[in-house]
Amino acid sequence: MTTDHTTALFDEVSRSGYYPEIVAEGLRDALAGEVVAGYVLHHEPTFDRDEIRRHMTVLALTPSRLILVHTDEHPGDDLLPQAYTSTTSEAVALSQVRSVVVTRMVTSNSKQLEEALLTIGWGSVSRVELEPARCSDPECEADHGYSGSVAGDDFSLRLAAAGDGGAAVERLLAFARTLSAATSGRIA
């Protein structure tokens, strides 16, 4: 049986103080009544010239889907003259999640966990990295074309102990473990 973290998630959204009603509304719509098996919430400021803008990302795992909700705040512009928020949600079937990549950065001397990066791929966005191909002859001036790779890169979230706190980094790793278990056919 899946542990229900729905109330805890909405409580944390409320405590964040970052447009809690707007974030909660987007989250409720995306969840469509499913229970939350795991979640991670990231509230981050962005510096843009002399302004500070904030944004929030919420990842929620249900028994059948991965939910991503991202809310940004914007200054007024030509379309909307007053400051406004935009909330985007995406729901991905767990069967569509192709990869869960976790990178941990740990200091060599103290073995302290400093950062974690979670990258989730489901085939919606790919990144192409190309570079000129070379041969082993240092005198060669021929055009050998290009070599490169294509990598899935639908979503990445990086948390650092220095900026987000060690507990936030641990929560991201716990979410990654839960997501990995869910994509293997079981939720831990």
Side-chain angles (χ1 to χ4, degrees), residues 92-161:
V92 180
L94 287 177
S95 62
Q96 298 300 308
V97 175
R98 296 180 182 173
S99 65
V100 178
V101 181
V102 178
T103 304
R104 302 163 196 254
M105 284 63 86
V106 177
T107 56
S108 301
N109 53 357
S110 69
K111 307 292 188 242
Q112 178 69 35
L113 176 65
E114 296 295 335
E115 295 184 18
L117 171 64
L118 171 63
T119 302
I120 307 167
W122 54 89
S124 179
V125 178
S126 294
R127 177 181 69 245
V128 177
E129 294 182 11
L130 295 175
E131 61 183 38
R134 296 182 172 88
C135 69
S136 59
D137 180 0
E139 303 296 320
C140 181
E141 294 181 17
D143 182 355
H144 295 286
Y146 289 89
S147 66
S149 63
V150 176
D153 193 19
D154 292 303
F155 179 81
S156 291
L157 180 60
R158 183 180 199 142
L159 297 181

Side-chain angles (χ1 to χ4, degrees), residues 8-21 23-24 27 41 56 58:
L9 171 56
F10 282 97
D11 287 348
E12 193 167 335
V13 166
S14 181
R15 279 191 310 273
S16 78
Y18 179 77
Y19 302 103
E21 297 85 14
V23 173
L27 195 52
L41 183 142
M56 180 179 284
V58 180

Side-chain angles (χ1 to χ4, degrees), residues 30-49:
L31 286 170
E34 282 192 280
V35 299
V36 175
Y39 71 91
V40 66
L41 183 142
H42 185 236
H43 180 206
E44 178 180 34
T46 303
F47 300 93
D48 183 16
R49 293 183 219 130

